[in-house]
Amino acid sequence: MTANYNTVLDPVLKARLSKIKHVALDMDGTIYLGNTLFPFTLDFLKTLSDNGIGYSFLTNNPTRSVHDYLEKLAGMGISATEENMYTTSLAAIDYIKTHFPSARRLFLLGTPSMARQFGEAGFEECSDDPDDIPDVLVGSFDMTLTYSRLCRAAWWASQGVPYIATNPDKVCPTSERTVLVDCGSICKCIEHATGRKPDITLGKPDPTMLEGILHRHGLAPDEIAMAGDRIYTDIAMAHNAGAFGVLVLSGETTLETALAVKRESEKEKDPEFFPPDLIVRDIAELGELLLSCRNPTWTL
């Protein structure tokens, strides 16, 4: 149980858990694995809803639009709306609207599904033409990328066009016998060719995604828990946003790795180490703890 992972669920930890009004959920490794829903996910989401705790799904993968992700969740039996979904595409849209309010035309390295998301937000996509000058260049995980468009993106980067990246991931995890080159590697190619890095890289561990959810629901940082299976993205983002970081052991990270990070952070006082505030077996256990801390008479 959790007490074994955290030595003891002390009063301070209980007090922090009792404040949680919203849970931000990583997807793969947290609510499902690959295309298989964990057997406890639906009960966990119902527990949150029944107890007045909101939830959102977060992903660093911008290749699908919100509509496409909602279709995937529906196929797994999860009923969700746009209010429950926050992707790096939405983070990029929010960032552009906030920091470049007059921007309308974008040069996108992204899938057609992602491009549709930007179109629905009121943006126009520039063509691969040196005379079709964009207001902003957006680098992303583009599985439809062509050499010509990569070169055009490098050109706009070299010309000083505002440049953002949707996520830092070097590769996208896959069980297939290939390497899925992700946004971070594509942007590294542009950097090697032009000497220019993105002005900002969104997605986990950048706090922008969580800040978007905080703003959307009117929450304070200590009222949201970020639950995910990766220390270097999910837990790091929680740390960067001042939120409560919950590591689940149902995906990538093992208990041994999590405890090693915790030991190193305590020993080295290294800001690059982001130990989770809480380690749980899975979100089912997180649900149990949230209930027990909201209702002191409820016991595990």
Side-chain angles (χ1 to χ4, degrees), residues 75-144:
M76 293 181 166
I78 297 176
S79 178
T81 69
E82 291 186 6
E83 285 296 306
N84 298 117
M85 195 79 228
Y86 206 70
T87 70
T88 49
S89 293
L90 290 181
I93 288 168
D94 287 345
Y95 184 86
I96 293 170
K97 287 187 173 182
T98 298
H99 295 274
F100 304 99
S102 62
R104 291 293 177 270
R105 298 183 54 73
L106 311 176
F107 190 82
L108 300 172
L109 294 185
T111 62
S113 181
M114 178 186 131
R116 285 195 297 273
Q117 186 75 62
F118 278 83
E120 291 170 2
F123 295 104
E124 299 177 15
E125 186 174 5
C126 291
S127 61
D128 183 0
D129 184 331
D131 294 320
D132 195 1
I133 303 172
D135 298 314
V136 178
L137 166 64
V138 180
S140 189
F141 177 24
D142 187 0
M143 294 180 291
T144 63

Side-chain angles (χ1 to χ4, degrees), residues 251-272:
E252 177 180 307
T253 304
T254 64
L255 177 59
E256 181 181 15
T257 298
L259 294 178
V261 168
K262 193 171 184 179
R263 286 194 299 270
E264 287 299 317
S265 68
E266 293 169 351
K267 181 176 66 176
E268 302 293 337
K269 304 299 181 185
D270 189 334
E272 292 187 4

Side-chain angles (χ1 to χ4, degrees), residues 148-219:
S148 175
R149 289 188 64 79
L150 177 61
C151 292
R152 184 62 55 206
W155 170 250
W156 293 131
S158 73
Q159 297 303 297
V161 171
Y163 174 24
I164 69 172
T166 57
N167 58 295
D169 305 62
K170 296 177 182 177
V171 298
C172 180
T174 179
S175 58
E176 299 175 8
R177 292 184 293 176
T178 188
V179 174
L180 296 180
V181 176
D182 209 325
C183 179
S185 296
I186 292 172
C187 292
K188 197 68 177 179
C189 179
I190 294 173
E191 179 189 346
H192 196 65
T194 68
R196 181 156 177 219
K197 297 179 180 180
D199 302 329
I200 186 171
T201 299
L202 304 170
K204 299 177 284 187
D206 184 87
T208 304
M209 290 181 75
L210 271 186
E211 289 168 356
I213 292 176
L214 293 174
H215 178 73
R216 178 184 286 184
H217 297 284
L219 299 167

Side-chain angles (χ1 to χ4, degrees), residues 21-24 48-49 52-56:
K21 296 180 179 179
H22 197 95
V23 180
L48 294 185
S49 296
I53 301 174
Y55 58 86
S56 299

